[in-house]
Amino acid sequence: MEFQKDNTLFTGRLKSVSFAMKGAIKLITTEDSIKVQFSIAILMTIAGFYFAISAIEWLFQILSIGLVMSIEGLNTAIEKIADFIHPEYHERIGFIKDISAGAVFFAAITAIVIGLIIYVPKIF
């Protein structure tokens, strides 16, 4: 029986995590939309500490940040794939990109509403 180090559950998961972290770093360092979202996430985290939000509020805020950042990442991936498949403008590709951007819009609006629910009572 032969032991294969590279195919163990643990090393396989570590490789997956390292690929995911590499992708997250690429996303944050190369994409303007994610840079904006990441900056807002940092500001909202600072606001959370400043206003001493509750554990439940932290959960909603963290979930909102994760939702927006994740969907923004998926939107970027869809745009990159679409551009790779069809580099010049095409109506159908534009339609796909618009739908993908619309998903980010829904997530962002949801995050804004959650932020307003958390912070408006603390400010006023």
Side-chain angles (χ1 to χ4, degrees):
M1 190 181 284
E2 196 175 306
F3 181 71
Q4 297 178 345
K5 290 183 196 174
D6 292 324
N7 292 330
T8 65
L9 179 65
F10 183 71
T11 56
R13 295 309 98 212
L14 279 178
K15 284 181 183 177
S16 294
V17 169
S18 71
F19 291 141
M21 287 186 65
K22 184 178 173 183
I25 290 166
K26 279 184 182 178
L27 197 56
I28 290 170
T29 58
T30 62
E31 297 300 319
D32 290 337
S33 56
I34 283 287
K35 289 177 185 177
V36 170
Q37 300 295 354
F38 189 69
S39 299
I40 292 169
I42 290 170
L43 291 174
M44 296 311 296
T45 300
I46 292 167
F49 285 114
Y50 179 79
F51 288 105
I53 63 177
S54 72
I56 297 295
E57 291 168 330
W58 272 115
L59 290 174
F60 278 105
Q61 179 166 298
I62 291 166
L63 184 63
S64 297
I65 290 169
L67 176 72
V68 172
M69 298 278 290
S70 297
I71 296 188
E72 187 69 62
L74 290 173
N75 176 52
T76 299
I78 290 168
E79 288 180 353
K80 298 290 183 191
I81 291 169
D83 289 343
F84 179 76
I85 291 170
H86 208 290
E88 53 281 343
Y89 176 79
H90 190 279
E91 188 175 328
R92 283 183 162 169
I93 295 293
F95 181 77
I96 291 166
K97 287 180 168 184
D98 289 347
I99 289 172
S100 182
V104 177
F105 177 76
F106 284 134
I109 293 297
T110 301
I112 290 167
V113 170
I114 288 170
L116 290 172
I117 290 169
I118 292 171
Y119 292 105
V120 165
K122 295 176 183 339
I123 295 170
F124 297 106

